[in-house]
Amino acid sequence: MCGMVYTRENFNQLLAENASLKSEVNLLQEKVQCLMKKLFGRSSEKLSPDQLELELEELRELQEALELAETKAELAEEEQKESKRGKRKGLDARIPKDLPTETIIIDPDEVLAHPELYKKIAEVRTEKLDVTPTRFFRTVIIRNKYKKRDDRSIAPLIAPAPKQLIENSYASTGLVLHIILSKYCDHLPLYRQEQIFKQRFGVEISRKTMGGWMYLVAQWLSLIYEALRNEIRASGYIQADETFIKYQDPKKDYCPNGYLWAYHTPQVGVLFEWYPSRAAECLDTMLGGYKGLLQSDGYVGYTSWLNKKKHRAEKAAIIHAACWAHARRKFVEVPGHPVAQTVVKLIAKLYRIESALRDKPELDRAAYRQAHAKSHLEQIKKILDQEKPRQLPQSNFGKAINYTIERWDALNLYLEHSTLEIDNNLVENAIRPTAIGKKNFLFFGSPDSGQTSAVIYSLIETCRKLDINPAVYLREVLTALPTMNQSEAASWTPARWKSNRETTCE
């Protein structure tokens, strides 16, 4: 019987191979757990039950350290807040007071038959909330033509035709507004609007016709769109992100990915740009010549754009900050690792500090962060430096550590600049409505229609960010557009429009 003779060299080789296989198995198991969590776990980034338990333990320790009187006062205050939150608002608080009112009076038949025999002594009121469905109607514009009675040599007189939003079209401002709000606010594709108009109202408007109207309206709105771009660039702080959406390309037999690039400035607005690619060159229009703060996720397109030779001036003028939400996400995706959970817990402390700052806007944010957040950041850095040589670079924890350390300086910039947010979540929130829309209409009908949607989405999402009713804003804008000069467009951005209305009300 033949046997294999193992030398020490073979044995050491087998040990090394075994260790390598074990490491590979651990990595694969970690990836499987991560994928299972993404598929079947909660979609939000809330703390896991284990992390919540750690948070509760810390809260208990803090509560024990408080004086009894302060504890009772805080508990009483919390109970009062909870009871207020639990109360359901009355009808007057839930319905606007300026709604038109229709009053219906119902009298008994006996009173109606002989009103002289009865005297009113009281009334019982019942309030209902009613709504009138969308109603189509014709608007007929008649311009009378006149001639002078005693002088036939003078040409007949007729009033000039009012300027139209879409010339030689039967589309009124109200109809165009309804289609815009249905598509870009309520996420109804044009083909579904076409079906609704025909089935419920007997009105036939093809999706092709509506698409043409959207294109023409976007051309008009481009004046305000560019003014909004100037406002965001002049603010000195831009949060940037991008999201893919498919589009139809007649040269291809499939729908390739295009991208909506989003730029957001708090209290100013959101601007979307459409490009059929995710290349760094797409940043030229927005960031060329820009000076100020730029905050983004870890996508390398931003750093590669800044590192190009032709953008040396911008690299010197732009301060590029990173996003703590993306860094935190990397550690959340490490399943069951106690050190990773400790890092998540420390990041949670950073967010509690930001929450306290939102409740006290009068505080100097940079000074407050330096006093309260810097020590937590130092703890995180110490843990990362200790764990980096212990973790495999290809493991989820190793990737999270490398991601955070590579961007450490950019992640800490928010300590020095009070304008900076801790993360990029505000611009990501601005993208979410577009994500709902693309789930419904699946793709843009052509490469050109992407920019049409980008223009309209920019104004509607800016309205949402500034707490403006887009129906009111767009109706005024669409009415004014036919007679608007390019120099007047700057005063019609949502922020300027809101400021002017508040000034007028005062």
Side-chain angles (χ1 to χ4, degrees):
M1 185 175 182
C2 296
M4 181 176 290
V5 178
Y6 289 96
T7 63
R8 182 172 293 276
E9 183 179 353
N10 296 135
F11 185 72
N12 291 335
Q13 184 177 355
L14 288 172
L15 285 176
E17 185 178 350
N18 185 43
S20 176
L21 290 172
K22 283 184 176 180
S23 174
E24 185 175 352
V25 168
N26 289 334
L27 286 175
L28 291 173
Q29 287 178 341
E30 189 177 84
K31 290 180 180 179
V32 169
Q33 290 178 13
C34 184
L35 288 172
M36 293 291 287
K37 182 179 179 182
K38 287 184 177 180
L39 284 172
F40 304 110
R42 293 176 297 177
S43 60
S44 64
E45 292 184 5
K46 295 179 180 179
L47 296 176
S48 68
D50 293 339
Q51 294 161 359
L52 283 172
E53 187 176 351
L54 291 174
E55 297 293 335
L56 290 172
E57 288 178 2
E58 184 182 14
L59 286 174
R60 291 191 195 101
E61 293 174 1
L62 290 173
Q63 287 175 351
E64 290 176 0
L66 292 174
E67 294 182 2
L68 183 59
E70 292 179 349
T71 305
K72 288 182 178 180
E74 289 177 2
L75 288 173
E77 185 178 353
E78 287 298 321
E79 287 177 2
Q80 186 177 3
K81 287 181 180 179
E82 288 179 3
S83 64
K84 287 182 179 179
R85 290 193 203 104
K87 279 187 177 180
R88 186 180 180 184
K89 294 180 179 178
L91 189 63
D92 291 339
R94 287 182 283 129
I95 299 176
K97 294 181 179 179
D98 57 350
L99 281 182
T101 301
E102 178 181 338
T103 303
I104 300 174
I105 299 175
I106 303 176
D107 284 334
D109 294 337
E110 295 84 353
V111 175
L112 293 176
H114 303 283
E116 71 281 359
L117 301 178
Y118 297 91
K119 177 183 177 183
K120 179 182 174 181
I121 58 173
E123 64 181 22
V124 178
R125 299 176 66 94
T126 304
E127 292 194 14
K128 302 286 184 181
L129 183 63
D130 204 349
V131 61
T132 301
T134 301
R135 181 174 62 93
F136 282 86
F137 59 92
R138 297 173 184 266
T139 298
V140 180
I141 301 173
I142 298 176
R143 294 183 295 133
N144 294 321
K145 187 181 290 187
Y146 296 90
K147 68 176 183 179
K148 204 167 185 180
R149 295 180 184 274
D150 56 353
D151 191 348
R152 296 185 177 182
S153 62
I154 299 177
L157 297 176
I158 188 171
K163 291 189 176 182
Q164 301 294 316
L165 184 66
I166 302 175
E167 292 293 341
N168 303 318
S169 171
Y170 61 87
S172 67
T173 299
L175 178 58
V176 172
L177 175 62
H178 178 80
I179 296 170
I180 289 174
L181 295 176
S182 297
K183 180 174 182 180
Y184 296 101
C185 289
D186 304 331
H187 317 295
L188 278 176
L190 295 180
Y191 80 90
R192 288 173 64 183
Q193 293 192 55
E194 178 184 2
Q195 293 172 352
I196 291 170
F197 292 161
K198 184 175 181 180
Q199 293 172 2
R200 298 182 189 173
F201 307 101
V203 176
E204 296 186 20
I205 307 175
S206 72
R207 71 193 76 175
K208 183 178 179 181
T209 299
M210 289 187 281
W213 292 345
M214 295 300 98
Y215 173 79
L216 293 173
V217 169
Q219 296 300 307
W220 277 108
L221 292 174
S222 293
L223 294 172
I224 303 172
Y225 174 82
E226 291 302 324
L228 176 61
R229 181 198 303 278
N230 294 335
E231 282 186 354
I232 292 174
R233 283 170 53 88
S235 69
Y237 177 30
I238 295 177
Q239 294 180 325
D241 201 1
E242 68 289 332
T243 183
F244 85 93
I245 182 169
K246 295 183 179 297
Y247 67 97
Q248 285 186 324
D249 189 340
K251 299 178 182 178
K252 299 178 181 178
D253 57 357
Y254 64 96
C255 290
N257 284 341
Y259 288 86
L260 280 173
W261 294 72
Y263 305 96
H264 170 255
T265 298
Q267 306 305 318
V268 176
V270 185
L271 185 128
F272 291 92
E273 282 188 331
W274 161 258
Y275 287 99
S277 79
R278 202 187 182 193
E281 288 76 15
C282 299
L283 296 167
D284 288 348
T285 308
M286 193 66 185
L287 299 185
Y290 170 69
K291 297 180 181 179
L293 298 167
L294 170 66
Q295 191 171 32
S296 70
D297 56 18
Y299 175 48
V300 296
Y302 299 99
T303 52
S304 64
W305 186 88
L306 289 170
N307 290 331
K308 288 186 178 180
K309 291 182 180 179
K310 63 179 181 179
H311 298 134
R312 288 177 179 173
E314 285 86 355
K315 186 174 183 179
I318 292 177
I319 300 172
H320 189 195
C323 169
W324 266 109
H326 284 82
R328 178 187 179 276
R329 196 173 299 160
K330 303 291 182 182
F331 293 100
V332 171
E333 292 175 354
V334 181
H337 199 295
V339 181
Q341 292 178 1
T342 301
V343 175
V344 173
K345 178 181 174 183
L346 288 169
I347 296 175
K349 292 182 179 180
L350 299 178
Y351 275 86
R352 283 203 295 271
I353 292 168
E354 296 303 303
S355 178
L357 282 172
R358 283 193 292 273
D359 295 335
K360 300 176 181 178
E362 71 280 0
L363 293 177
D364 184 338
R365 300 214 306 177
Y368 191 87
R369 288 166 174 169
Q370 287 283 349
H372 296 83
K374 191 173 182 180
S375 60
H376 301 316
L377 290 165
E378 291 172 350
Q379 284 181 269
I380 295 173
K381 185 64 163 61
K382 184 178 179 181
I383 292 172
L384 299 183
D385 290 338
Q386 289 175 348
E387 290 296 322
K388 184 176 181 180
R390 302 175 185 172
Q391 304 299 326
L392 293 171
Q394 294 304 313
S395 67
N396 283 356
F397 196 17
K399 290 179 181 179
I401 291 172
N402 291 330
Y403 179 94
T404 306
I405 289 179
E406 287 173 3
R407 297 164 178 79
W408 187 252
D409 290 339
L411 286 167
N412 283 264
L413 282 173
Y414 86 106
L415 292 178
E416 306 169 16
H417 302 274
S418 58
T419 307
L420 271 174
E421 299 292 334
I422 190 173
D423 56 35
N424 223 29
N425 283 350
L426 291 176
V427 69
E428 288 195 353
N429 292 340
I431 288 175
R432 285 179 183 175
T434 68
I436 298 173
K438 73 182 178 184
K439 285 182 180 179
N440 288 345
F441 51 74
L442 301 179
F443 50 78
F444 289 142
S446 68
D448 293 336
S449 65
Q451 186 57 26
T452 296
S453 294
V455 170
I456 299 175
Y457 267 133
S458 297
L459 297 180
I460 285 178
E461 286 309 303
T462 297
C463 286
R464 187 173 69 89
K465 286 287 186 180
L466 300 181
D467 197 22
I468 296 172
N469 185 340
V472 176
Y473 168 75
L474 284 175
R475 180 173 285 280
E476 289 194 20
V477 168
L478 295 178
T479 303
L481 274 174
T483 58
M484 187 184 299
N485 297 324
Q486 189 169 0
S487 59
E488 299 173 344
S491 63
W492 283 94
T493 62
R496 292 283 299 275
W497 177 87
K498 182 178 181 180
S499 176
N500 292 337
R501 280 176 66 96
E502 291 173 348
T503 303
T504 303
C505 292
E506 291 176 359

